[in-house]
Amino acid sequence: MISYLIKSMLCMALFYLVYVIWLEKESMHRLKRFYLLGSLIFALIIPLITLHITLQTMPEWMKWVQHNPQNIHVEAPEMNHTLNSETIAWKATNAPIEKDVVKPAFDYAIFLAILYVLGTTYLLIRLIRNLYIMVCKTKQKKIFYFKGIKVVLAEDDLVSHSFANCIFVNRKEYETGEFPEEILLHEWTHAGQRHTLDLIFIEILIAVFWLNPLLYLYRNKIKQNHEFLADEAVLSNPQTIIPAYQRLLIKSIDQHRSLRISCKFNFSITKKRLIMMTKTTSKKRARFKAFTLVPVLIVAICVFSTKVWSENNRENAGTHLPEHLLQEDPIIIPGKGISQDQMDEYQEITEKYITFDDGRSQIQWKSTGLSQEESDKLYVLYVQMDTAQRNQQKIAFMGPFTPCNAKRNPNADEWNVCKNAKAIWLDAKKSDKVTLDALSRKCIILFTYKPGEYSFAWTKKGYTEYIQEYEKGIKQSKLLEIKPNIFYSIRTFKKVNR
């Protein structure tokens, strides 16, 4: 949630700067209105967009193993007490040491959440109250119609303003003939162009995201542009005497208050309005300015969307299998054993990446950068091997069907890595950080991850249900949805009798 708020705020800041620098001083007010409202919507939507980016590079931890072989820490997973062949599935790790986590006595997150909800509730109640007041005012009986818009003659001393499809004017001024027709036309434009809807929209956003200061700046720009639009309509009227209207603006400085959701005859920005009256923007220039907004939107999507980085798009690894395998999508039976030809195929792929010393007890890896196709092929074969066959391999995989008896709870640092991954699965279902935050790491019995990219976590119940459902057979594409951890042997061990 915090990440979303920050991204949307930064995206909004980009759009706001573009408006101030590139559009505000132009007289294309309809485009500016569309831009102000549209940029707010896009700023809220763009952080929710997910872009899947494919990289053709090996994982960072593999690079570390390749370039720092002297620092490899070798841990032997407890596979079997009695081994019938060489045990050679070992993982190169540089795992951080678990630290004791001291929980604060006071949960500030809950306090801030309560404060946020109270602020939002107050602003929404105030908005509803103001709407109710304005709706009640529209039901007054002393009315007439001006170009199809209801005009309400109010008894109280107020500044002319509009709300929805109603205009409010001072009854005394109107009946004594002191009320300029230009003001009526000005407010008619506000009502006719439904400016109230813009203001209600921005007020709702402020109520929900009241901590975002950019929304208040947006509100000022939206109201300012409303005045430009109304002035434009008044000046386009052939009966309007432009110098007289400008003198009216200078004379009538607004010193009254009105509700935020009403469009009032506001002269607080008189100087800008007078300057804007002297400007014109050619159609060619307007089209050019509008066209340049497209790259801004593309940049915003590229920068502020949520990106899932993957090696060969491994978030859905099954789609990167050879086409004939995808079409066949065979059923894989975990642990049934494979043929000698399949064992030879596995060995042939493995030995492309390794060399041995003279005693064949020490393994040196030429590279740990398996291609996606070879990694998938080896994993599918490895899952089908029986225990004895798996114990012979120099490249092994830890996944839900091949846990290597390494099921355990993640330590605090590992759990943080799992929770902060860009793509998160819990019990083989797409999840998110909020869900993992609500879980204790003690509930997790098996996990795999690639730091910063993806993580797969399993609860005891979810893991048991998954195995029971698929232990007798699982489609190859389904199997490859769950990414395993890859183990590389750096040493072989002779048979141990116990």
Side-chain angles (χ1 to χ4, degrees):
M1 182 63 178
I2 294 177
S3 175
Y4 168 77
L5 292 175
I6 293 174
K7 285 184 178 181
S8 64
M9 190 182 302
L10 292 175
C11 187
M12 207 174 290
L14 172 64
F15 289 142
Y16 181 81
L17 287 175
V18 170
Y19 176 81
V20 171
I21 296 172
W22 192 239
L23 295 179
E24 184 177 16
K25 295 181 181 179
E26 302 295 336
S27 61
M28 42 190 189
H29 308 309
R30 288 176 177 80
L31 174 63
K32 286 156 61 176
R33 181 188 184 190
F34 174 80
Y35 177 85
L36 286 169
L37 297 175
S39 63
L40 282 172
I41 295 172
F42 278 117
L44 297 175
I45 293 176
I46 287 175
L48 300 176
I49 297 174
T50 300
L51 297 181
H52 296 274
I53 301 176
T54 302
L55 298 178
Q56 299 296 332
T57 58
M58 73 174 67
E60 290 299 321
W61 70 269
M62 287 188 182
K63 293 180 181 178
W64 183 90
V65 171
Q66 187 172 352
H67 296 296
N68 301 273
Q70 71 281 3
N71 294 328
I72 293 177
H73 173 65
V74 182
E75 294 181 355
E78 299 175 359
M79 302 182 95
N80 289 317
H81 293 293
T82 302
L83 304 180
N84 298 321
S85 59
E86 295 179 329
T87 303
I88 50 175
W90 313 99
K91 184 178 180 182
T93 64
N94 190 28
I97 299 175
E98 181 176 2
K99 300 180 179 67
D100 293 333
V101 179
V102 180
K103 293 185 178 180
F106 180 76
D107 194 336
Y108 291 96
I110 295 178
F111 172 76
L112 293 175
I114 294 174
L115 182 64
Y116 178 82
V117 170
L118 289 176
T120 299
T121 303
Y122 167 75
L123 292 174
L124 287 175
I125 291 175
R126 189 180 69 173
L127 174 61
I128 293 171
R129 173 181 172 275
N130 289 343
L131 288 171
Y132 176 76
I133 292 173
M134 294 303 299
V135 170
C136 290
K137 289 176 65 176
T138 63
K139 296 180 179 179
Q140 296 185 40
K141 296 181 179 180
K142 297 176 181 179
I143 64 171
F144 68 94
Y145 286 88
F146 177 77
K147 295 185 177 183
I149 299 295
K150 181 194 293 187
V151 180
V152 177
L153 298 177
E155 298 291 345
D156 52 339
D157 184 20
L158 50 72
V159 175
S160 300
H161 60 279
S162 63
F163 172 78
N165 61 343
C166 292
I167 301 173
F168 300 89
V169 299
N170 183 274
R171 177 188 176 190
K172 185 183 297 184
E173 289 184 3
Y174 183 81
E175 292 179 347
T176 57
E178 299 176 1
F179 192 82
E181 186 176 348
E182 290 85 354
I183 295 180
L184 199 57
L185 181 58
H186 182 102
E187 296 303 330
W188 177 87
T189 304
H190 283 313
Q193 295 183 2
R194 300 293 188 266
H195 292 171
T196 300
L197 298 180
D198 300 0
L199 297 179
I200 292 176
F201 173 67
I202 187 64
E203 290 297 334
I204 291 174
L205 290 185
I206 289 175
V208 177
F209 303 102
W210 56 272
L211 291 175
N212 186 348
L214 288 163
L215 289 172
Y216 302 93
L217 299 177
Y218 260 91
R219 180 172 64 189
N220 292 337
K221 296 302 180 186
I222 289 173
K223 290 179 127 181
Q224 176 181 281
N225 194 60
H226 285 170
E227 299 303 319
F228 294 156
L229 284 166
D231 288 339
E232 183 180 61
V234 174
L235 296 178
S236 64
N237 183 14
Q239 299 179 356
T240 300
I241 302 175
I242 296 178
Y245 182 63
Q246 292 174 331
R247 287 194 297 270
L248 179 63
L249 294 184
I250 296 172
K251 179 180 178 182
S252 304
I253 302 298
D254 178 18
Q255 297 177 342
H256 301 269
R257 298 176 60 192
S258 70
L259 298 173
R260 293 185 185 277
I261 55 175
S262 65
C263 301
K264 57 185 179 180
F265 192 64
N266 193 330
F267 300 98
S268 60
I269 56 170
T270 302
K271 182 178 179 180
K272 289 184 178 180
R273 292 169 64 186
L274 291 173
I275 294 173
M276 190 60 67
M277 289 178 192
T278 64
K279 290 190 173 185
T280 57
T281 300
S282 66
K283 291 183 178 180
K284 184 177 180 180
R285 181 179 176 86
R287 284 195 295 267
F288 172 74
K289 291 268 186 177
F291 179 77
T292 57
L293 298 178
V294 176
V296 174
L297 178 61
I298 294 174
V299 169
I301 293 174
C302 293
V303 174
F304 300 110
S305 61
T306 300
K307 286 166 280 294
V308 177
W309 303 84
S310 59
E311 182 185 357
N312 293 327
N313 197 17
R314 292 182 65 182
E315 182 176 344
N316 192 2
T319 61
H320 290 272
L321 292 172
E323 189 64 28
H324 71 281
L325 291 180
L326 276 178
Q327 293 173 355
E328 296 172 5
D329 202 6
I331 300 297
I332 304 302
I333 302 176
K336 71 169 185 177
I338 60 176
S339 67
Q340 186 58 47
D341 288 341
Q342 291 174 310
M343 288 284 286
D344 292 341
E345 181 185 8
Y346 197 100
Q347 188 74 8
E348 182 181 350
I349 295 174
T350 300
E351 293 193 347
K352 290 196 309 185
Y353 297 91
I354 62 175
T355 58
F356 289 93
D357 63 8
D358 293 337
R360 296 187 65 84
S361 63
Q362 202 70 28
I363 298 175
Q364 294 181 349
W365 290 90
K366 298 175 184 177
S367 170
T368 53
L370 285 173
S371 69
Q372 184 62 52
E373 182 178 357
E374 289 182 331
S375 177
D376 290 340
K377 186 180 295 184
L378 292 181
Y379 181 50
V380 169
L381 291 174
Y382 190 83
V383 168
Q384 297 176 85
M385 292 178 186
D386 57 33
T387 302
Q389 290 173 329
R390 291 173 188 170
N391 289 344
Q392 299 176 36
Q393 307 311 320
K394 302 170 184 66
I395 297 179
F397 298 85
M398 187 180 80
F401 297 105
T402 57
C404 302
N405 292 336
K407 290 184 287 186
R408 63 177 178 86
N409 307 127
N411 61 38
D413 292 316
E414 290 168 333
W415 189 228
N416 283 332
V417 172
C418 289
K419 292 193 294 184
N420 290 302
K422 292 180 180 177
I424 298 172
W425 281 261
L426 178 65
D427 293 335
K429 298 177 182 178
K430 197 70 180 289
S431 187
D432 53 34
K433 186 177 186 299
V434 175
T435 303
L436 294 195
D437 280 335
L439 284 178
S440 167
R441 60 185 176 86
K442 301 296 184 181
C443 298
I444 304 302
I445 64 167
L446 182 68
F447 60 96
T448 59
Y449 61 79
K450 180 179 179 181
E453 305 243 351
Y454 57 75
S455 67
F456 294 83
W458 300 84
T459 62
K460 183 176 181 180
K461 181 176 181 293
Y463 177 76
T464 301
E465 291 176 350
Y466 184 84
I467 296 300
Q468 288 177 348
E469 182 175 1
Y470 296 113
E471 64 182 346
K472 294 183 179 179
I474 181 172
K475 286 187 176 181
Q476 180 171 287
S477 58
K478 183 72 175 178
L479 171 70
L480 293 175
E481 287 180 0
I482 309 298
K483 290 179 272 297
N485 278 353
I486 304 177
F487 289 68
Y488 295 85
S489 170
I490 63 170
R491 183 180 304 172
T492 62
F493 291 82
K494 300 299 181 180
K495 178 180 177 181
V496 178
N497 294 318
R498 300 188 181 184

